Amino acid sequence: MSKYDIEHSHGMHVVHDGPRQAPPLLLIHGSGASGGFWSPVVPALAGHHNVIRVDLPGCGQSPPAPSYDVPAQAGQVAALLDDLGLRHVAAVGHSSGGYVATALAEQRPDLVGSLALISSGPRPDALLRQPFILRVLLAPPLGPLLWSRRSDAMIRRGISAMAARPVDLPDDVVADVRGITYRVMRTVLRRNTAYIAERSVPERLAALEVPVLVIFGAADPRWEPSSAHQYDAVPNARVELLPGVGHLPMLEAPETTSKLLLSFTAPGR
């Protein structure tokens, strides 16, 4: 694996891994996360792809943005891909990153050759009651008070509450999460909900002529796991449920997740 570039472009921190001439693979993280969450799968993916990881606006090492609407974030990603001169990218999104990837394909079908959605809830009514620690951190009155006082241990507990298996969280990933403000997090969550409430993800994907892979943990505590089958109605979609895996397949089952993504993006598959 060769990491060849780290840059800021269009208001986003961007990390490139793997050979520049290889087929491009875009990785988009979910809410309250960063590009660092993909680290366990990058070595395998970068052996076959030009891997591009972004920190979405207000997350990780990217500065805040005027708008956190899903289409606006997709527009920033499109501008980045235009600058890089890339077309027909395999776009992979985790959780709400799947909404940004979907919106990117809606806006710019010339940029997206295939879509992989990991743990992306299809519609608002599939959302489960969230773990207690996250409800406390995200809801008034305690949320605004506790958010800025989160310890590393509290951040790790909050992330681990989304997993069904033990996960290893490097210090730099914890630092990325610490940098996200309460206001940004709440705004991002509201805008994500608005996007899937306006039109469900399966309905949006059905209108696109693009191959789709959906990966879902069968023990996801954030989204009802059976809701993954709503994607069965999407033409050209393949749905994979991972037994004993929660909301974070790339952290909980990196080898399986990598294999699924590489099989999906393989030439002539």
Side-chain angles (χ1 to χ4, degrees), residues 41-161:
V41 298
V42 166
L45 298 179
H48 302 267
H49 288 280
N50 168 14
V51 178
I52 303 116
R53 284 183 284 168
V54 298
D55 285 353
L56 292 174
C59 298
Q61 299 179 55
S62 294
S67 172
Y68 295 97
D69 286 355
V70 171
Q73 296 192 68
Q76 288 181 260
V77 176
L80 166 67
L81 296 178
D82 280 337
D83 274 4
L84 294 173
L86 297 176
R87 293 291 183 274
H88 307 296
V89 171
V92 184
H94 172 248
S95 195
S96 60
Y99 308 156
V100 177
T102 300
L104 176 65
E106 288 177 314
Q107 291 177 19
R108 295 287 304 278
D110 59 311
L111 294 180
V112 179
S114 60
L115 275 173
L117 275 57
I118 302 175
S119 308
S120 298
R123 48 189 290 169
D125 59 7
L127 187 67
L128 298 172
R129 182 173 171 82
Q130 300 303 287
F132 176 75
I133 187 171
L134 297 181
R135 297 202 309 271
V136 170
L137 283 171
L138 287 170
L142 292 179
L145 299 174
L146 292 177
W147 190 265
S148 62
R149 295 173 172 83
R150 292 169 297 161
S151 65
D152 284 2
M154 188 179 295
I155 290 173
R156 291 178 189 277
R157 284 200 302 273
I159 297 171
S160 295

Side-chain angles (χ1 to χ4, degrees), residues 132-219:
F132 176 75
I133 187 171
L134 297 181
R135 297 202 309 271
V136 170
L137 283 171
L138 287 170
L142 292 179
L145 299 174
L146 292 177
W147 190 265
S148 62
R149 295 173 172 83
R150 292 169 297 161
S151 65
D152 284 2
M154 188 179 295
I155 290 173
R156 291 178 189 277
R157 284 200 302 273
I159 297 171
S160 295
M162 289 285 93
R165 298 179 180 180
V167 293
D168 181 28
L169 300 169
D171 291 343
D172 59 338
V173 169
V174 174
D176 283 346
V177 174
R178 178 182 301 286
I180 301 170
T181 69
Y182 181 80
R183 185 191 69 81
V184 166
M185 185 66 180
R186 289 279 299 187
T187 303
V188 166
L189 291 174
R190 285 197 302 270
R191 302 321 301 156
N192 291 337
T193 301
Y195 180 74
I196 61 174
E198 178 185 49
R199 197 177 182 201
S200 76
V201 187
E203 185 181 357
R204 292 174 182 275
L205 294 174
L208 303 174
E209 295 181 359
V210 61
V212 176
L213 171 66
V214 174
I215 300 173
F216 232 92

Side-chain angles (χ1 to χ4, degrees), residues 1-5 15-23 42-43 45-52:
M1 180 181 67
S2 170
K3 181 181 290 188
Y4 61 81
D5 198 13
V15 179
H16 303 260
D17 294 273
R20 189 183 292 264
Q21 69 275 14
V42 166
L45 298 179
H48 302 267
H49 288 280
N50 168 14
V51 178
I52 303 116

Side-chain angles (χ1 to χ4, degrees), residues 222-268:
R222 179 165 175 76
W223 297 99
E224 170 55 52
S226 65
S227 71
H229 290 296
Q230 294 182 27
Y231 289 99
D232 289 334
V234 179
N236 302 317
R238 168 183 161 199
V239 178
E240 295 282 351
L241 275 170
L242 307 186
V245 174
H247 189 63
L248 306 168
M250 64 285 200
L251 293 175
E252 299 176 66
E255 184 175 350
T256 301
T257 303
S258 300
K259 287 181 177 178
L260 288 171
L261 291 174
L262 288 173
S263 172
F264 177 65
T265 58

